[in-house]
Amino acid sequence: MDLYYLLVQRSFLWTVQLLITFLISTEGGFSYKRILDRRQLRVGFPPEILADAQNITVHRNDRAILNCTIRHRGTKNVQWGILNSSHPLTIGDLTWTSDKRFSVSSSNYNKTVERWNLVIDNVQPKDTNTYECQISSIVTRLRLVHLTVLPTQRKISPGVSLKGTTLLDSRGTIIITCNATGAERAPESVDWFHEGSIIRQQSSKWSGRVKISMKADVLRRSLISQLIIERSTLKDRGAYICRSPDKIMKSIEVHILEDNNPPSRAVRNKLSDEPAKPNKAALSTLSFIIFIMAVSVSAT
C-alpha cells in the first residue's frame, strides 16, 4: 500500500508540473506566468543597464544615435550627460541643454525592457567625446559610450529611385514616389515626365488632377517628391520619368485597365511573373484530408 500511495503522489506532482508548463506556454486567458509577472512587479527588481555598442563612429553632419537599453527601470529617471561634466544633457524625456541638436528617444522593447537613446543631429567633430547613460537610484548605475565624429562627410553617390502604382483601373489614383539623392546636398527639385513630355500642374491635361509634393531630407541629402494623379484615364498610361538636377533619370511603367475588360497580354505576362500566393482554404482542406487518412491507417 505504501508503494501504491507513493506512485499516486508522484503522478499527482507530475500532473501539476505539466499543467503549470502548459499554462506558462499558453497565450491569453488565465496564465500562471502572469501571476509570476505580477509577483515580480510587487517584489521589485533593481534597474539594470544592458550591454550595447560602446564605440560609435559617424561622419560629420550625420545623425548619431547612442543606445542605452534598461531593464526594470521602474520610476527611476534616465539621464544622459558627458563624462566628468556636472551639467546633464537630458533627464527623462526632457532636454537640459540649449543645443537643439540633442534629444532623447524613448521606446518600450517589452514589459520590462526600455530603450533611452541619445540622438545628436548634424554632428560635428567637436561632439567627439565620451557620453554616459545613468540611472538615478541608491546605487548609481551608468554606461559609457564613446562617440567619434570623422571630419569628412559621408560619401553619397547621386541617384534616383522610383516606386509606386504600376497597375490600376480607370478612374483610379496613380501615386509615384521619387527619391533623388545629391552628392553634397539634397537636390532643390526634380522634374516629372509622362511619355517624354514634362508634367505641369497648370496645363489643361493635368489641371485639377495632378499634385506634386517635395520634401528635403538634409541629413540623407535626398529629396522626396510624390506625384499624385487623380481620376486617371487611359491616356494617363505609359512611362513616367523622374529626373534629378544631375540629369539622372528613372522610369516606371503604369498600366491602366479599361472598365470591365481583362488585362492586356503584356500586363498578364508581367503579373504571371509574380510568385503565386498560397491558397489558405486549399491548405486547410489538404491538412484535414491528411489527418483523416492518418486516423484511418492507425485504426486498421
Side-chain angles (χ1 to χ4, degrees):
M1 292 297 292
D2 293 339
L3 179 61
Y4 172 77
Y5 284 116
L6 180 61
L7 291 175
V8 171
Q9 183 181 19
R10 290 188 175 181
S11 299
F12 176 76
L13 292 176
W14 291 339
T15 303
V16 171
Q17 290 177 354
L18 289 174
L19 179 60
I20 291 175
T21 302
F22 172 76
L23 291 175
I24 291 177
S25 61
T26 303
E27 296 182 357
F30 176 79
S31 174
Y32 181 73
K33 184 175 183 297
R34 293 186 177 184
I35 296 178
L36 292 179
D37 289 342
R38 295 193 189 100
R39 182 181 178 184
Q40 290 174 356
L41 290 175
R42 287 197 301 267
V43 173
F45 287 86
E48 176 186 3
I49 300 180
L50 305 182
D52 267 316
Q54 291 183 286
N55 293 283
I56 306 294
T57 301
V58 296
H59 289 263
R60 179 169 59 90
N61 295 335
D62 280 352
R63 169 180 290 175
I65 300 178
L66 282 58
N67 298 323
C68 187
T69 306
I70 298 172
R71 177 185 288 135
H72 303 304
R73 179 181 65 88
T75 59
K76 304 295 188 297
N77 281 326
V78 179
Q79 176 177 312
W80 274 100
I82 298 176
L83 184 63
N84 298 326
S85 174
S86 59
H87 184 74
L89 295 171
T90 67
I91 299 179
D93 290 317
L94 301 178
T95 303
W96 288 72
T97 175
S98 58
D99 194 334
K100 302 300 182 183
R101 300 177 303 125
F102 288 83
S103 62
V104 64
S105 173
S106 60
S107 60
N108 293 330
Y109 182 76
N110 55 35
K111 292 181 180 179
T112 59
V113 178
E114 304 173 3
R115 291 192 177 97
W116 290 79
N117 299 335
L118 180 67
V119 180
I120 311 174
D121 289 322
N122 192 26
V123 291
Q124 300 299 317
K126 65 177 183 180
D127 298 319
T128 296
N129 218 319
T130 300
Y131 296 80
E132 61 178 15
C133 174
Q134 179 178 321
I135 304 175
S136 59
S137 60
I138 298 177
V139 179
T140 301
R141 292 173 173 83
L142 59 85
R143 181 171 183 80
L144 302 180
V145 182
H146 185 76
L147 173 66
T148 301
V149 181
L150 302 178
T152 58
Q153 284 190 319
R154 185 182 301 276
K155 292 183 178 180
I156 299 178
S157 300
V160 173
S161 62
L162 274 181
K163 64 178 181 179
T165 308
T166 57
L167 178 66
L168 73 159
D169 294 322
S170 179
R171 309 297 296 176
T173 301
I174 301 172
I175 302 177
I176 305 175
T177 302
C178 174
N179 187 343
T181 306
E184 298 295 333
R185 62 184 63 86
E188 295 181 358
S189 64
V190 296
D191 295 320
W192 286 96
F193 296 86
H194 173 241
E195 290 294 309
S197 299
I198 193 167
I199 299 176
R200 302 188 186 279
Q201 300 182 67
Q202 300 82 5
S203 65
S204 58
K205 178 181 179 180
W206 306 109
S207 179
R209 298 194 303 128
V210 171
K211 298 177 182 178
I212 299 177
S213 63
M214 298 190 187
K215 182 180 180 181
D217 188 333
V218 177
L219 294 176
R220 293 178 174 83
R221 303 175 219 167
S222 66
L223 178 72
I224 310 297
S225 178
Q226 192 171 66
L227 172 68
I228 301 176
I229 304 174
E230 299 176 339
R231 306 186 303 278
S232 63
T233 66
L234 295 179
K235 295 181 180 180
D236 298 331
R237 60 189 174 187
Y240 286 83
I241 296 176
C242 177
R243 185 182 68 183
S244 72
D246 296 318
K247 306 304 179 184
I248 301 176
M249 298 180 290
K250 283 289 184 179
S251 66
I252 188 171
E253 192 76 18
V254 175
H255 302 275
I256 300 178
L257 307 180
E258 298 184 39
D259 294 336
N260 301 321
N261 282 338
S264 64
R265 178 178 297 177
V267 175
R268 289 199 302 270
N269 291 339
K270 183 177 181 180
L271 294 178
S272 64
D273 294 335
E274 298 180 359
K277 295 182 179 180
N279 190 316
K280 293 183 179 180
L283 291 177
S284 300
T285 303
L286 180 61
S287 300
F288 179 75
I289 293 174
I290 294 174
F291 173 76
I292 294 299
M293 293 175 63
V295 172
S296 301
V297 171
S298 62
T300 58

